[in-house]
């Protein structure tokens, strides 16, 4: 029996209409005569979705009892018995009620697919398991119900259901998603424009990656090596020269002309030593391409054109951007160059763009090579010219009747010796001189075809030829060595100069520096190891590179190369063994790595010192505040007491009651101010030790409202809320400060709403007022100590209420943030941890928001 096919409608956010789209597809199939049934669809009370169920056959759900509540789930056995051609199963990520056939609904769907039933299902992007942490960081909601990405990736069809954030919020405001009493909370929480935009981007990127996977699988199955231009991917070949910036900007402009285009900058370094490019210029170009939205890649390859084409085809690139050659005209005798070679070998599937720039034909500069060592290709070429060249030349000259003469023969053989020296160095040149001398003697010096020489003049000519050849070879080889050494030293000095300057300016982090080491030497892994003493184990202070499964670097002895830094620190590298001449530069990198690590630690200590200075500043501000704000209630109390003790006035009972009330109010105000000051002092000194226990919000919040008029606050705390893990005392003080602040700024006749709701494993307490509100730029500043927003009078307090509330919230593991109240005003959102021992009951809004 053939396996059924799975089609998934992937929603970018709740309420975009994925269930509606699924039902619309079912109606189209039924009209075409397909046997389609509704195995399980949840309309969530949305009338437009509910109407779409009319006219479709629905299979009776299975009823289950769990903890005294009756639930309904999809009846898998009934669907299998009915055996339709197509089954509609909503909410792929749903967790079944205990007692069901499987734990997850996607497992039920697997059974249907194995039975040959085609399934159409739905899921939202936030329910994909790999995106759980990302979605939580964006929305603040942890999705309890998730589905493995692989289940969705295996689907035969994935259709994205998308809608702009503004359209979703309009649908929400019109009541098409939630009931009217849930709209304000949803719009100000989960359905914020930023949240919806981020979820939409996640969905688009995930689907785009899945399309790429389909394309790559198809190309692999059909052994397609040519590039398919489904999406413009532009590869920029960099040499590390100054023209790289022009190439990157040109590629970015090309990518901007097409939606979804990508820019991939690649630098290809040889595997035989230090990179030939300026590290400073490469760092600038890496930053530039990343700022323009592209990616930077570092590839090792000795044949640059082949490595560049292999990289381009590996990423399914459609275009390659290269710069016009910087070589001078005479340098083309050594080959056509990278640009011409890539253009010749690219084939019809890759477009190669040669971009002109200011450095054209100005010379490539001296390459950085490894001391006196030449590349393998040049050494082989030198030996071929030095050994095979004289033999071929002898063949050519002997075929010429009455040849050019012995003098010219000697000059031709001497030319080959010079070429061998230029290409391969001293040894190929010496071999060329020896072989050339023998061939001159055997073929061109009378008597020919013997090694004897009859004329003494010819003996002198051969000896002089050999001496000149050896001298020229030595001079040419020495000049080449000195040139290469000078180029290498220049490169080293440039590396060290840029390195020292960037470290001294504080522009390089430890990770960036280690990455620079890895790229410079072409290594796999670089780690900075340290230990406190000779008997302590090594610890890793920083590490870059190293694929999964690579051997760990636990000590310097495990590395291919290690460079000690002092007595208790070492720079360890894996990938290959470096020659001795590279260790001088590596030692400089290691010393700078130690400097960077020390500077990072000093920055941490400076931050702690800054915190101490901030504490001193707050204490100074405290003294300034005490001089006025504490004296005001004291003056009021003293005046009232003095009046009561005066014998000159006969106070009526009403007057005495009024004076006593003033004394009580001043004492309460004084107690509140002193309490906030003491609380702030405890927070600043880090002496707040919360005693966390599980408690219901409705036991604490009402106690915090004692300091405000009863009619000024509306309380809405559902009984089904989970318990919270908090310090009751700290929570009461936080809520009291927040409510007092909200009442203070609320206009007359407008009450303050204190409402609570459960969101995942957290509980939110929202204190909303209808006051003037606070602009976004000031929302964080109002939580700083001794801050009053706007024209609050001096007698309104010392500006510690919100600072204390946030400090206590964070001490209990919660958060406190300010948001705009829909319709005007400000809402304080106090987020607390739900107790672990009691499973939260999901209210309607969060349950719908996560499906």
């Amino acid at each position: 029996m053939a396996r059924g096919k799975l089609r998934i409608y992937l929603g970018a956010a709740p309420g975009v209409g994925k269930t509606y789209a699924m039902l619309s597809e079912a109606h189209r199939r039924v009209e075409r005569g397909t046997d389609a049934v509704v195995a399980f669809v949840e309309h969530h009370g949305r009338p437009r979705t509910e109407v779409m169920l009319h006219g479709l056959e629905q299979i009776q759900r299975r009823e289950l009892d769990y903890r005294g509540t009756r639930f309904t789930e999809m009846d898998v056995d009934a669907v299998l018995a009915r055996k339709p051609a197509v089954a509609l199963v909503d909410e792929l990520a749903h967790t079944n009620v205990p007692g069901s056939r499987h734990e997850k609904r996607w497992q039920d769907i697997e059974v249907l697919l194995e039975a040959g039933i085609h399934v159409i299902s739905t899921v939202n992007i936030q329910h994909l398991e790999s995106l759980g942490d990302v979605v939580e960081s964006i929305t603040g909601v942890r999705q309890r119900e998730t589905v493995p990405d692989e289940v969705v990736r295996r689907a035969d069809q994935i259709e994205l259901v998308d809608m702009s954030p503004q359209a979703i919020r309009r649908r929400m405001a019109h009541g098409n998603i939630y009931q009217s009493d849930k709209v304000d909370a949803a719009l100000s929480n989960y359905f914020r424009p930023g949240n919806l935009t981020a979820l939409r981007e996640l969905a688009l990127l995930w689907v785009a990656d899945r399309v790429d996977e389909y394309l790559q699988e198809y190309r692999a199955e059909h052994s397609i090596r040519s590039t398919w231009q489904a999406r413009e991917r532009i590869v920029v070949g960099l040499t590390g020269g100054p023209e790289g910036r022009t190439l990157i900007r040109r590629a970015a402009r090309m990518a901007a002309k097409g939606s979804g285009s990508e820019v991939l900058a690649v630098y290809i370094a040889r595997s035989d030593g230090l990179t030939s490019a300026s590290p400073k210029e490469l760092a600038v170009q890496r930053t530039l391409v990343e700022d323009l939205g592209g990616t930077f890649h570092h590839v090792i390859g000795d044949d640059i054109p082949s490595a560049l084409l292999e990289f381009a085809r590996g990423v399914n690139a459609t275009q390659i951007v290269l710069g016009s050659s910087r070589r001078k005209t005479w340098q083309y005798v050594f080959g056509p160059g990278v640009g011409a070679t890539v253009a010749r070998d690219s084939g019809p599937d890759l477009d190669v763009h040669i971009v002109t720039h200011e450095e054209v034909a100005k010379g490539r500069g001296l390459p950085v090579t490894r001391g006196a060592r030449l590349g393998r290709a040049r050494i082989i070429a030198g030996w071929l010219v030095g050994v095979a060249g004289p033999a071929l030349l002898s063949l050519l000259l002997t075929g010429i009747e009455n040849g050019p003469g012995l003098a010219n023969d000697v000059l031709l053989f001497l030319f080959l010796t010079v070429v061998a020296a230029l290409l391969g160095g001293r040894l190929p040149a010496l071999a060329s001189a020896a072989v050339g001398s023998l061939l001159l003697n055997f073929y061109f010096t009378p008597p020919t075809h013997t090694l004897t020489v009859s004329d003494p003049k010819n003996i002198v000519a051969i000896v002089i030829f050999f001496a000149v050849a050896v001298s020229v070879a030595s001079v040419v080889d020495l000049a080449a060595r000195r040139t290469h050494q000078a180029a290498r030293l220049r490169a080293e000095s440039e590396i060290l100069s840029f390195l020292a300057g960037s470290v001294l300016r504080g522009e390089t982090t430890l990770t960036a520096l280690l990455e620079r080491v890895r790229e410079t030497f072409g290594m796999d892994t670089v780690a900075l190891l340290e230990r406190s003493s000779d008997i302590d184990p090594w610890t890793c202070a920083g590490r870059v590179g190293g694929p999964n499964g690579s051997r760990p670097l636990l000590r310097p002895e495990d590395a291919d190369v290690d460079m000690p830094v002092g007595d208790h620190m070492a720079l360890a590298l894996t990938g290959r063994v470096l020659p001795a001449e590279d260790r001088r530069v590596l030692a400089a990198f290691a010393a700078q790595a130690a400097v960077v690590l020390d500077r990072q630690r000093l920055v941490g200590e400076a931050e702690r010192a800054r915190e101490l200075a901030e504490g001193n500043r707050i204490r100074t501000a405290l003294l300034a505040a005490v001089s006025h704000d504490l004296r005001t209630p004291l003056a009021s109390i003293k005046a009232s007491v003095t009046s009561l003790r005066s014998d000159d006035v006969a106070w009526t009972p009403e007057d005495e009651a009024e004076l006593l009330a003033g004394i009580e109010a001043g004492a309460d105000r004084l107690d509140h101010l002193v309490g906030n000051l003491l609380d702030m002092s405890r927070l600043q000194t880090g002496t707040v030790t919360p005693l966390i226990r599980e408690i219901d919000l409705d036991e604490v919040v009402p106690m915090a409202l004692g300091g405000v008029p009863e009619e000024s606050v509306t309380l809405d705390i559902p009984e089904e809320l989970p318990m919270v893990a908090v310090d009751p005392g700290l929570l009461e003080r936080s809520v009291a400060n927040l409510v007092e602040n909200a009442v203070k700024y609320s206009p007359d006749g407008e009450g303050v709403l204190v409402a609570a709701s459960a969101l995942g494993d957290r509980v939110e307490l929202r204190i909303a007022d209808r006051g003037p509100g606070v602009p976004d730029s000031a929302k964080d500043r109002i939580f700083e100590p001794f801050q009053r927003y706007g024209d609050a009078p001096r007698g309104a307090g010392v500006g510690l209420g919100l600072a204390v509330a946030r400090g206590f919230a964070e001490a209990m593991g919660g958060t406190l943030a300010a948001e705009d109240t829909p319709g005007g005003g400000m809402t304080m959102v106090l987020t607390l941890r739900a107790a672990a021992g009691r499973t939260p009951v999901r209210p309607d809004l969060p349950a719908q928001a996560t499906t």
Side-chain angles (χ1 to χ4, degrees):
M1 180 183 297
R3 176 182 169 88
K5 294 185 179 299
L6 174 62
R7 178 172 183 170
I8 294 178
Y9 284 91
L10 179 66
V16 294
K18 63 186 183 304
T19 303
Y20 189 94
M22 178 181 68
L23 294 173
S24 299
E25 174 65 19
H27 279 286
R28 286 191 293 271
R29 296 199 181 198
V30 169
E31 291 173 0
R32 294 195 301 264
T34 304
D35 182 17
V37 302
V38 176
F40 187 97
V41 168
E42 185 63 63
H43 57 74
H44 295 299
R46 297 166 186 168
R48 296 178 181 271
T49 305
E50 187 175 1
V51 168
M52 293 297 294
L53 289 170
H54 297 166
L56 297 176
E57 179 185 347
Q58 300 186 47
I59 294 180
Q60 186 70 29
R61 298 184 186 183
R62 182 185 178 189
E63 295 186 352
L64 296 169
D65 290 325
Y66 180 66
R67 293 186 177 180
T69 305
R70 200 161 191 78
F71 298 90
T72 61
E73 295 288 359
M74 180 175 67
D75 193 336
V76 180
D77 296 325
V79 179
L80 293 174
R82 170 65 174 76
K83 197 169 178 56
V86 178
L88 275 64
V89 184
D90 204 5
E91 300 178 357
L92 180 67
H94 173 74
T95 302
N96 293 328
V97 174
S100 301
R101 182 169 181 173
H102 298 101
E103 179 185 358
K104 303 289 290 188
R105 183 163 293 163
W106 64 264
Q107 295 170 325
D108 295 336
I109 291 176
E110 284 292 322
V111 174
L112 301 182
L113 294 173
E114 291 295 334
I117 301 174
H118 301 317
V119 177
I120 304 178
S121 187
T122 64
V123 70
N124 278 336
I125 189 67
Q126 69 264 25
H127 293 292
L128 296 182
E129 198 168 77
S130 66
L131 301 178
D133 293 338
V134 179
V135 172
E136 183 180 14
S137 66
I138 294 171
T139 66
V141 177
R142 181 68 181 187
Q143 302 297 328
R144 295 187 299 275
E145 295 184 333
T146 59
V147 59
D149 289 44
E150 185 59 28
V151 173
V152 183
R153 290 181 186 277
R154 287 201 306 263
D156 299 278
Q157 287 182 267
I158 299 175
E159 184 167 337
L160 178 64
V161 184
D162 186 24
M163 185 178 291
S164 69
Q166 294 78 11
I168 296 177
R169 287 173 62 84
R170 280 197 302 270
R171 291 192 62 195
M172 177 74 69
H174 294 159
N176 294 335
I177 301 178
Y178 298 139
Q179 298 176 1
S180 58
D181 59 335
K182 308 292 186 183
V183 171
D184 284 348
L187 290 176
S188 61
N189 186 40
Y190 194 90
F191 288 82
R192 299 171 188 163
N195 290 359
L196 296 175
T197 302
L199 292 175
R200 188 185 194 192
E201 183 179 14
L202 282 177
L204 292 170
L205 291 175
W206 194 91
V207 172
D209 289 341
R210 184 64 186 115
V211 172
D212 268 350
E213 290 177 12
Y214 278 132
L215 183 59
Q216 295 296 343
E217 290 171 5
Y218 183 86
R219 284 162 51 84
E221 290 173 0
H222 294 78
S223 301
I224 299 173
R225 291 285 298 163
S226 61
T227 299
W228 282 11
Q229 300 183 5
R231 185 200 300 188
E232 291 292 344
R233 286 190 175 92
I234 304 173
V235 171
V236 184
L238 301 178
T239 65
E243 78 281 1
R245 306 182 204 179
T246 302
L247 303 184
I248 293 171
R249 294 189 181 98
R250 182 71 179 92
R253 290 196 300 271
M254 294 167 60
K257 295 179 180 178
S259 177
S261 300
E262 298 180 35
V263 175
L264 302 90
V266 57
Y267 170 72
I268 299 175
R270 298 187 184 276
S271 61
D272 61 347
L274 291 174
T275 59
S276 59
S278 163
K280 178 179 179 180
E281 186 61 34
L282 275 182
V284 172
Q285 293 175 15
R286 174 196 288 270
T287 303
L288 176 61
V289 71
E290 291 175 350
D291 289 343
L292 294 175
T295 56
F296 184 91
H297 303 268
H298 190 96
V299 177
I300 303 297
D302 292 323
D303 188 345
I304 293 179
S306 298
L308 182 60
L309 288 171
E310 187 68 24
F311 175 84
R313 293 193 174 101
V315 299
N316 197 28
T318 57
Q319 302 180 56
I320 298 178
V321 175
L322 299 173
S324 297
S325 179
R326 286 182 288 142
R327 297 191 300 174
K328 296 182 180 298
T329 303
W330 64 268
Q331 291 178 309
Y332 282 96
V333 299
F334 297 107
V338 173
T341 304
V342 170
R344 182 193 64 201
D345 298 338
S346 62
D349 54 340
L350 272 172
D351 296 334
V352 179
H353 302 266
I354 306 297
V355 179
T356 59
H357 49 84
E358 295 180 353
E359 304 296 322
V360 174
K362 290 186 177 180
R364 298 173 58 184
L366 297 174
V368 179
T369 56
R370 306 182 59 77
R373 287 166 41 181
L374 301 172
R376 179 180 299 178
R378 286 189 57 179
I379 292 176
I380 293 175
W383 280 103
L384 288 176
V385 172
V387 176
L392 293 175
L393 180 62
S394 299
L395 226 84
L396 177 65
L397 294 177
T398 54
I400 301 176
E401 188 176 356
N402 300 323
L406 181 62
N408 291 325
D409 294 339
V410 170
L411 290 176
L412 290 174
F413 277 94
L414 182 61
F415 173 74
L416 288 180
T417 302
V418 173
V419 173
L422 289 172
L423 290 175
R426 180 183 301 171
L427 291 179
L430 294 178
S432 177
V435 172
S437 299
L438 292 175
L439 293 176
L440 280 172
N441 186 4
F442 190 80
Y443 287 106
F444 305 105
T445 305
T448 58
H449 301 96
T450 66
L451 295 178
T452 60
V453 180
S454 60
D455 190 347
K457 295 181 180 179
N458 293 335
I459 297 177
V460 174
I462 293 176
V463 170
I464 292 176
F465 161 76
F466 185 80
V468 171
V470 171
S471 301
V472 170
S474 300
V475 171
V476 171
D477 179 70
L478 180 62
R481 288 170 180 265
R482 292 291 183 264
T483 300
H484 296 319
Q485 289 173 356
R488 177 186 174 85
L489 292 175
R490 185 187 66 183
E492 288 183 4
S493 64
E494 184 179 18
I495 291 173
L496 297 177
S497 174
F498 173 70
L499 175 64
S502 62
V503 171
L504 290 175
R505 291 189 301 269
E507 298 174 354
T508 304
T509 63
L510 181 60
T511 302
L513 181 63
L514 296 181
E515 182 65 26
R516 183 72 53 76
V517 175
R518 190 178 73 86
E519 292 181 356
T520 299
F521 295 97
M523 306 300 284
D524 293 334
T525 308
V526 179
L528 183 63
L529 306 176
E530 65 172 342
R531 60 179 176 179
S532 302
S533 63
D534 294 334
I535 61 175
D536 292 333
W538 291 91
T539 59
C540 183
R543 174 191 174 101
V544 296
N548 294 332
S550 62
R551 69 179 190 270
L553 279 176
L554 303 178
R555 54 181 185 167
E557 291 80 6
D558 298 332
D560 294 322
V561 181
D562 69 281
M563 176 61 63
V565 186
D567 295 332
H568 302 105
M569 192 175 294
L571 188 65
L573 302 89
T574 62
R576 61 188 177 88
V577 178
L578 291 180
E581 57 264 31
D582 279 353
R583 294 183 67 88
R584 179 172 64 253
V585 179
L586 183 61
F589 272 111
Q592 294 291 8
V595 171
V596 171
L597 181 61
D598 289 340
R599 192 185 71 244
Q600 288 182 353
R601 290 172 175 170
L602 289 174
V603 169
E605 294 178 2
E607 178 63 22
R608 289 190 289 272
R610 188 196 63 77
E611 292 175 357
L612 292 175
E614 179 67 14
N616 291 331
R617 185 191 68 80
I618 290 178
R619 279 188 284 273
T620 302
L622 172 63
L623 292 175
V626 167
S627 66
H628 181 277
D629 294 282
L630 291 183
R631 292 179 63 182
T632 301
L634 284 175
S636 176
I637 293 173
K638 182 175 177 59
S640 298
V641 171
T642 302
S643 299
L644 287 173
R645 295 186 61 186
S646 175
D647 297 331
D648 299 335
V649 181
W651 300 103
T652 64
E654 292 78 6
D655 294 334
E656 291 182 354
E658 183 178 352
L659 291 172
L660 289 173
I663 293 173
E664 184 178 12
D668 290 341
R669 184 175 165 191
L670 185 61
D671 178 69
H672 180 72
L673 291 173
V674 172
N676 275 340
L677 290 172
L678 292 176
D679 290 339
M680 197 67 225
S681 176
R682 292 166 58 201
L683 289 171
Q684 291 296 325
T685 56
T687 57
V688 176
T689 305
L691 302 176
I692 304 296
R693 65 184 182 91
E694 298 178 4
I695 193 170
D696 285 314
L697 275 181
D698 55 10
E699 296 182 28
V700 179
V701 175
M703 299 173 60
L705 307 181
V708 296
E710 183 176 351
E711 67 278 2
S712 63
V713 177
T714 301
L715 200 58
D716 180 16
I717 300 180
E719 294 182 358
E720 67 270 16
L721 278 181
M723 302 177 74
V724 291
V726 296
D727 182 316
L730 298 184
L731 177 59
E732 181 182 347
R733 292 299 301 275
S734 296
V735 175
N737 283 351
L738 295 175
V739 172
E740 179 187 347
N741 185 78
V743 171
K744 182 194 310 179
Y745 287 99
S746 293
D748 294 338
E750 293 285 351
V752 172
L753 175 62
V754 179
S757 61
L759 290 174
D761 58 351
R762 298 176 301 162
V763 174
E764 281 192 354
L765 185 66
R766 308 176 75 87
I767 298 93
D769 64 61
R770 293 293 180 179
V774 175
D776 292 339
S777 59
K779 280 189 172 63
D780 285 333
R781 194 165 64 249
I782 60 176
F783 292 102
E784 296 178 4
F786 305 104
Q787 295 291 325
R788 295 185 183 86
Y789 181 71
D791 56 353
R794 290 290 301 176
V798 293
L800 289 176
L802 295 182
V804 169
R806 172 176 274 190
F808 283 171
E810 293 175 349
M812 295 183 291
T815 60
L816 177 62
E819 297 179 356
D820 293 330
T821 302
M826 186 171 64
T827 299
M828 292 292 177
V829 183
L830 178 60
T831 305
L832 305 169
R833 292 177 299 165
R838 177 173 165 184
T839 304
V841 178
R842 297 187 297 172
D844 292 340
L845 175 60
Q848 294 176 11
T850 58
T851 58

